[in-house]
Amino acid sequence: MKITASDVVPNRRRGGDIRVLLSPKTVRSTSGFMGVLRLAPGEFVAEHYHPHSEEFLYVVRGTLTMRVEDESVELGPGDGLMVPIGARHRLVNTGAEEGEAVFHLSPLAPRPELGHVDTEEPPHAHESSPQVGGARL
C-alpha cells in the first residue's frame, strides 16, 4: 500500500514536522511503523524513549545531532543510526539547512499509548501525539 508524505498531516507536538507514513493505522502493518521528519535549523525533537521499540534513523539531508543517553552523534546525508530499546534520545538540526530523515520503529508496543515516553516537555505539548494506531499481535 502506497502512502505519500505530502498527503499526511504533519505532527509538531514533539518538534519539527513528523509524518507517520506506514503504520498499523495506515497500512495495517504488524511489525513496526515508519515515517519522515523535517527539522529547520536549530529545531529539535524533544527527548524521549521507547520502552518496547528500537528506532532506526536514516538521514536524507542536512546535519543532525542525535543525543543517545549521554553521547552525541553527528549525522549527515547517508548516515544511519539505531537507538536501542529504552534509550533516551533527542534529535537536533545543528546545520544551516533543513534536515530530513526517515525513521522506523520496531517492534510495536503492546498498545500505541505505551510506545513513547517523553522525558522533556515537548515544544508543542498542547497538540496530540502522532497516531500510529493498532497493537502488536
Side-chain angles (χ1 to χ4, degrees), residues 13-93:
R13 175 181 168 77
R14 296 181 183 118
D17 175 321
I18 298 174
R19 299 173 192 233
V20 175
L21 302 178
L22 307 175
S23 71
K25 181 178 179 182
T26 60
V27 297
R28 296 184 178 165
S29 60
T30 60
S31 63
F33 66 93
M34 174 260 186
V36 294
L37 69 90
R38 292 189 179 104
L39 294 172
E43 200 168 27
F44 64 93
V45 175
E47 185 183 90
H48 62 281
Y49 68 92
H50 307 284
H52 302 277
S53 307
E54 296 173 326
E55 182 170 350
F56 301 88
L57 185 80
Y58 176 79
V59 177
V60 177
R61 66 183 162 124
T63 303
L64 305 176
T65 300
M66 178 75 89
R67 189 182 73 225
V68 181
E69 296 291 340
D70 296 321
E71 181 182 347
S72 291
V73 181
E74 187 169 306
L75 303 162
D79 289 340
L81 179 74
M82 193 273 288
V83 177
I85 292 172
R88 292 177 294 108
H89 54 287
R90 184 181 201 265
L91 185 65
V92 180
N93 181 342

Side-chain angles (χ1 to χ4, degrees), residues 85-105:
I85 292 172
R88 292 177 294 108
H89 54 287
R90 184 181 201 265
L91 185 65
V92 180
N93 181 342
T94 51
E97 68 174 305
E98 182 178 70
E100 184 175 9
V102 175
F103 61 88
H104 177 265
L105 281 83

